[in-house]
Amino acid sequence: MVSPTSAVMPPAPAPGLLSAALDDLGVTLGHDGGTLRVWSAHADGVELVLFDDTDLDWITDTLPLEPVGGGVWQVRTPLLRPGARYAIRVGGPGGPGNTFNPRTLLIEPYARGLISDGRDDWRAVVVDGGFDWGGVQKPATPLDRTVIYEGHLKGLTKRHPGVPPALHGTYAGLAHPAMIEHLTGLGVTAVELLPVHAFASEPRLHQMGLSNYWGYNTLNFFTPHSPYATAASRREGPEAVLREFKGMVKLLHEAGLEVILDVVYNHTAEEGIGGPRSSLRGIDNRSYYRQLDDGTYVDETGCGNAVNTATDAAARLVLDSLRYWARDVQVDGFRFDLAATLGRDAQHSFTPQHPLLQAILDDPELADVKKIAEPWDVGMGGWQTGNFGEGWSEWNDRYRDRVRNFWLSDVDYARRASTSPVGVGGFATRLAGSSNTFSSERGPLASVNFVTAHDGFTLRDLVSYDVKHNLANGEQNRDGADTNRSFNHGAEGPTDDERILATRRKAMRNLMGTLLLSAGVPMLTAGDEFGRTQRGNNNAYCHDSALTWLAWEHAPWQKDLHAHVSRLITLREENPALRPVRFAVQDQRTPSASVMDWYDERGEMMSPERWTDPAHRTLQYVAASTPEHEDFNRILLMVHGRESPIDVTLPQIDDVTRFVSLWCSSDEQPDDTRETFAPGDRVSLDGTSMRLFLAE
C-alpha cells in the first residue's frame, strides 16, 4: 500500500513536451540494476511492487519512489533486472477527476514486456531488448513506389497451408518464406499490421462469448501483443516475444518489405469511468484523459475515453513510444488511428500545429518513417481530411467514397432511373491525386487511396451486398456503417447466376484498377486480391474465426483476380506517369509531376459541360511524366462508367505515334497480348470497364 512521502513536492508547471524532466521514463537498466521513473502530477505517493518469478501474486518487495521534480517519481534498485516482474501503486487526493487507489496494481506505462495470469491481471516485465540485426537495413521505399497491404497479424497466416501449424497466426508465421513469397509475388512493398501493441478484449465482449479481434483496445504502448507470438516464445517470456517480433521485422526487411504499424494512441483499454483501472487512470486520471471540470470524460473516440495529448507527459508518452518502435524495433511507419484526437488542444479543438503532431514531424529519430493519419474522430470538428499539413499522408475517405460511387452506387442508380446521378468530373479528380483535398505543397502522395479497409465490406462483399449483415456481432445489426455505397448487382449475397457473378468480377477489377492506377499511395486490404468474403459483415472486429482469417484455397476466378492485381502493381511500378510525386502546374515544368490531359470518347478535349453531365460517363486520361529520376513515360487510361458498350476514338497527341494496350478490366484473365493502335483508331469498350495503354 502506498504511503504519502514526507518530501512530496507540489505539482510543477507543465515542463513542455520535450523537457529533459520527461526523459528516461520507465525502466532504464544499468550495470547495478535499474532505475524506474514514473510521471504523475497529482500523486502523493508512488510505490514499486516486485513479484516472484513464478507466482504473480507473491509480492517479494515494495519500494517507494521519490519525487524528483516536474511530476516525476524515481527509484533505483538492483532488483530491477531483466526478467523482473513488477507493478506500481499510486496514491493521491480525491475529488473530481481523480481516481487514485493506493491498493490497485497498475501497469507502468513504459513497460517493454507484459505477463498475465489469464484473469486480466497484468504484471510488467523488465526486458533487455538485445537483438542482432545482422546489418539488415530498413528498405526505405520511396513513397511514390509504396504499395501498402493492410492485414491482421493472426488472420494473415492462421489458415495458410504453406506455413507450419506451429507458426500459424504468429509473428514468425508472417515472416515465413511462404508468406513472404505471396507478398513479394503480389508486388506490395509494405505490410500495414492492425494493432500489435498489447491489447485486451472489452468485458462486454467477454460476456457475449466474443473477443476484440482487431485489437483497437490498447493496454500498453510499448509491448508487443504476446498471443501473436509462438507458443515457444510465450513459454520463454516477454524477452522471447520481443525477439520474435524483431525477427519478423528483420526477415521482412531482408525481402524488401516495410512494416507499418497501426497504432492506437487516441484511447486505451480503460474505457469510460467505471471501466478497468489498469494503468493511466490509476496513475493520474486527471492528466492522462480528456475530461470536464467535474471529471466527466470528453470522449472523442467513441471508446469511452480519449488520451489528453494537451498534457505534455501524455504527448511525450506517445512520442517516446513511436521512437522506441522506430529505433529499437526498426519499424518503417505508423498509421495513426483516429489521429484527429491526437491533435486536439486543451480546449479539445483540432489544430494541425498541435505540439505532438509537430514533434512527430520534427523528431530526427522519426525522420525516415512513414506517417499516415486516419484524419478523423467522432468528436466535434472531427473530420479533418486534408488538414494534417506537410509531412503527413492521410487516409482519403473522399477517394474511397467517390470511387465506390462511380463504379457501384451510381451504376445501381442508373439501372433504376435510366440515368446516372452525376458525371465523371469528381471521379477524375480522385484519379488524378485529389488536388481539391491536398495542397500543392503536399502533393498527391499526401493521399493514401483505398477502396476497402479492415473496417467495412471486403472488396467481394462490396459488389455482393446492398446492406450489412452484422447479426453475429450481438448488437441486432445496429453496429457498422449503414452507408456503404455498395451494389449487389441483382442478388443479395451468394448466387448461382453467372451473369451476376461475371458483372461482380468485372466490378472488382474496375475497383482494383482504379486504386492501382490512381495518383497517390494505394492501400489494399489483405485478401481482396483474391476476393475474400466476410459474408456481408462490415464490422467483423469481434470475430476471431474463419470468418476473418484469410482462406488460401482459391477457385479459378480468385486466381484470375490475383493475377490482375499483380499485373496492375507491376504496371504501376513500370510507369512513373501513374505515380507522380507532385502536382503539375500549368505552363510550368514541375519535376516528378504528371501533366494530365483529358479527352472524351470522341478523342476531343473534354469540354466544361461534359465534366458534370450525368449522361457523360466516359473519358480518356493521358498522363505524361516530367522526369527527375526516371525516363520519360506517358500512359492513356480509358474509363467507361455506363453499362452499355461504347466505341472510343483514340486522341491525336503531338509526338504520339501509337498506343500499346497494357491492361483491360473486361478480361477475365490478364491478356499478355500487347495490341497496338494508331491515333484516331476506334477501340471498343464493354459496359463499365477500363483500359490502359502505353502512349509511345
Side-chain angles (χ1 to χ4, degrees):
M1 181 174 177
V2 176
S3 300
T5 301
S6 59
V8 168
M9 300 170 119
L17 168 59
L18 301 178
S19 167
L22 296 175
D23 289 349
D24 300 319
L25 294 177
V27 173
T28 303
L29 292 173
H31 68 276
D32 58 349
T35 300
L36 172 64
R37 286 164 54 84
V38 176
W39 183 88
S40 176
H42 298 96
D44 58 24
V46 182
E47 188 174 59
L48 169 64
V49 184
L50 292 142
F51 297 88
D52 180 73
D53 287 346
T54 56
D55 187 344
L56 297 184
D57 292 324
W58 181 5
I59 296 175
T60 58
D61 279 286
T62 59
L63 297 169
L65 279 70
E66 300 295 331
V68 294
V72 175
W73 300 71
Q74 178 174 304
V75 66
R76 182 177 292 110
T77 172
L79 299 175
L80 284 172
R81 50 175 172 70
R85 287 140 165 79
Y86 70 102
I88 58 174
R89 294 193 289 216
V90 183
N98 288 321
T99 56
F100 293 105
N101 186 332
R103 295 179 178 84
T104 302
L105 295 167
L106 302 169
I107 298 170
E108 186 266 300
Y110 282 74
R112 272 29 172 198
L114 287 178
I115 194 168
S116 172
D117 60 5
R119 299 172 296 173
D120 290 332
D121 194 11
W122 301 89
R123 305 287 181 263
V125 180
V126 178
V127 299
D128 174 76
F131 185 79
D132 181 7
W133 290 98
V136 175
Q137 301 294 312
K138 294 182 178 182
T141 306
L143 201 53
D144 69 298
R145 293 177 177 268
T146 297
V147 179
I148 299 171
Y149 186 82
E150 187 208 35
H152 188 281
L153 190 286
K154 180 176 182 178
L156 285 168
T157 63
K158 179 64 177 173
R159 304 170 71 186
H160 198 303
V163 175
L167 305 186
H168 280 169
T170 67
Y171 301 122
L174 179 58
H176 187 272
M179 195 65 210
I180 287 177
E181 182 182 356
H182 174 74
L183 296 168
T184 56
L186 185 62
V188 297
T189 68
V191 181
E192 181 177 304
L193 297 174
L194 269 65
V196 294
H197 288 170
F199 64 86
S201 290
E202 297 87 337
R204 173 184 62 83
L205 291 177
H206 281 309
Q207 293 168 6
M208 294 192 295
L210 299 170
S211 63
N212 189 319
Y213 173 66
W214 285 350
Y216 293 88
N217 202 44
T218 309
L219 277 168
N220 173 270
F221 297 146
F222 289 83
T223 306
H225 192 57
S226 61
Y228 291 161
T230 58
S233 292
R234 295 198 305 271
R235 283 193 300 269
E236 191 176 340
E239 192 82 59
V241 171
L242 178 58
R243 191 164 56 246
E244 182 178 325
F245 192 104
K246 291 180 177 179
M248 172 194 73
V249 174
K250 178 180 178 180
L251 289 171
L252 290 171
H253 283 177
E254 284 182 335
L257 294 164
E258 294 188 311
V259 179
I260 298 172
L261 301 186
D262 192 335
V263 286
V264 187
Y265 295 119
N266 58 80
H267 75 281
T268 74
E270 291 184 305
E271 302 184 22
I273 291 293
R277 177 167 41 198
S278 57
S279 186
L280 303 181
R281 177 173 292 142
I283 295 170
D284 195 333
N285 181 66
R286 170 57 78 183
S287 297
Y288 276 113
Y289 292 119
R290 293 187 177 276
Q291 52 198 276
L292 303 177
D293 290 342
D294 64 359
T296 302
Y297 274 11
V298 178
D299 177 17
E300 289 115 348
T301 69
C303 299
N305 65 63
V307 173
N308 185 12
T309 53
T311 301
D312 290 320
R316 180 64 177 270
L317 174 64
V318 174
L319 185 66
D320 286 345
S321 172
L322 294 169
R323 289 168 165 173
Y324 171 72
W325 290 97
R327 179 192 61 225
D328 292 36
V329 192
Q330 289 287 291
V331 303
D332 305 277
F334 303 95
R335 178 268 188 188
F336 294 82
D337 181 64
L338 301 183
T341 298
L342 304 182
R344 290 183 179 270
D345 60 20
Q347 289 71 46
H348 315 301
S349 297
F350 175 80
T351 170
Q353 289 78 40
H354 190 284
L356 174 58
L357 300 183
Q358 196 59 48
I360 291 170
L361 293 177
D362 294 342
D363 195 315
E365 293 191 35
L366 301 177
D368 66 341
V369 303
K370 293 176 170 65
K371 306 165 186 74
I372 303 169
E374 182 185 37
W376 52 77
D377 63 18
V378 301
M380 291 291 292
W383 188 67
Q384 294 292 334
T385 304
N387 294 334
F388 268 72
E390 196 169 354
W392 290 91
S393 296
E394 301 175 35
W395 272 27
N396 189 349
D397 55 324
R398 294 184 180 185
Y399 177 94
R400 174 201 63 199
D401 293 348
R402 178 63 71 177
V403 171
R404 287 186 181 190
N405 282 347
F406 186 82
W407 291 118
L408 299 174
S409 55
D410 288 0
V411 175
D412 179 23
Y413 183 98
R415 280 193 185 183
R416 291 181 281 110
S418 299
T419 184
S420 300
V422 295
V424 74
F427 175 83
T429 301
R430 298 303 164 192
L431 188 69
S434 297
S435 60
N436 60 343
T437 301
F438 301 101
S439 66
S440 59
E441 291 78 16
R442 299 180 67 190
L445 298 181
S447 177
V448 173
N449 299 330
F450 66 107
V451 176
T452 65
H454 67 275
D455 186 2
F457 280 143
T458 66
L459 180 70
R460 180 174 171 184
D461 289 354
L462 196 63
V463 304
S464 305
Y465 293 90
D466 279 351
V467 296
K468 64 187 181 183
H469 295 264
N470 295 358
L471 285 173
N473 297 359
E475 299 183 44
Q476 291 76 50
N477 213 42
R478 292 191 300 264
D479 65 304
D482 292 314
T483 303
N484 295 285
R485 296 174 168 82
S486 60
F487 180 31
N488 68 19
H489 292 88
E492 187 72 358
T495 180
D496 294 326
D497 188 321
E498 178 52 36
R499 180 185 57 82
I500 292 175
L501 292 174
T503 306
R504 289 176 178 177
R505 292 193 297 270
K506 186 172 60 172
M508 285 189 275
R509 295 192 294 268
N510 285 330
L511 291 164
M512 276 295 187
T514 303
L515 175 64
L516 291 166
L517 302 178
S518 292
V521 181
M523 184 188 78
L524 287 71
T525 305
D528 279 354
E529 71 270 28
F530 44 72
R532 80 178 185 99
T533 180
Q534 289 178 169
R535 300 198 294 272
N537 192 319
N538 76 348
N539 190 34
Y541 76 102
C542 56
H543 295 284
D544 186 356
S545 68
L547 180 71
T548 51
W549 304 333
L550 268 62
W552 293 93
E553 295 179 356
H554 302 141
W557 74 265
Q558 293 178 291
K559 296 176 182 178
D560 291 341
L561 178 59
H562 178 279
H564 272 283
V565 176
S566 181
R567 171 68 63 82
L568 286 161
I569 293 174
T570 298
L571 291 171
R572 181 182 185 85
E573 171 64 20
E574 292 175 346
N575 292 277
L578 292 169
R579 42 183 175 81
V581 174
R582 302 177 182 90
F583 290 126
V585 178
Q586 190 171 8
D587 299 325
Q588 294 183 21
R589 188 187 185 282
T590 304
S592 294
S594 288
V595 177
M596 300 168 185
D597 294 309
W598 306 88
Y599 301 87
D600 61 19
E601 69 273 17
R602 298 169 300 195
E604 300 172 357
M605 296 294 290
M606 284 282 287
S607 61
E609 60 270 18
R610 303 210 87 189
W611 284 113
T612 56
D613 181 1
H616 181 68
R617 301 268 293 180
T618 307
L619 63 80
Q620 300 184 75
Y621 162 48
V622 176
S625 69
T626 50
E628 185 176 15
H629 308 294
E630 301 179 75
D631 292 338
F632 174 75
N633 172 245
R634 180 160 42 196
I635 59 92
L636 180 147
L637 180 65
M638 291 181 178
V639 176
H640 177 49
R642 297 179 67 88
E643 290 200 286
S644 55
I646 191 172
D647 287 337
V648 178
T649 301
L650 287 163
Q652 302 279 351
I653 302 173
D654 290 344
D655 73 8
V656 172
T657 59
R658 66 175 189 166
F659 296 92
V660 181
S661 179
L662 301 178
W663 176 80
C664 182
S665 68
S666 294
D667 297 332
E668 287 285 353
Q669 300 172 337
D671 188 354
D672 292 327
T673 304
R674 293 204 164 193
E675 194 174 0
T676 300
F677 299 87
D681 283 355
R682 292 168 68 83
V683 177
S684 296
L685 285 184
D686 291 338
T688 54
S689 66
M690 306 175 71
R691 192 161 184 177
L692 178 69
F693 299 84
L694 180 65
E696 295 183 339

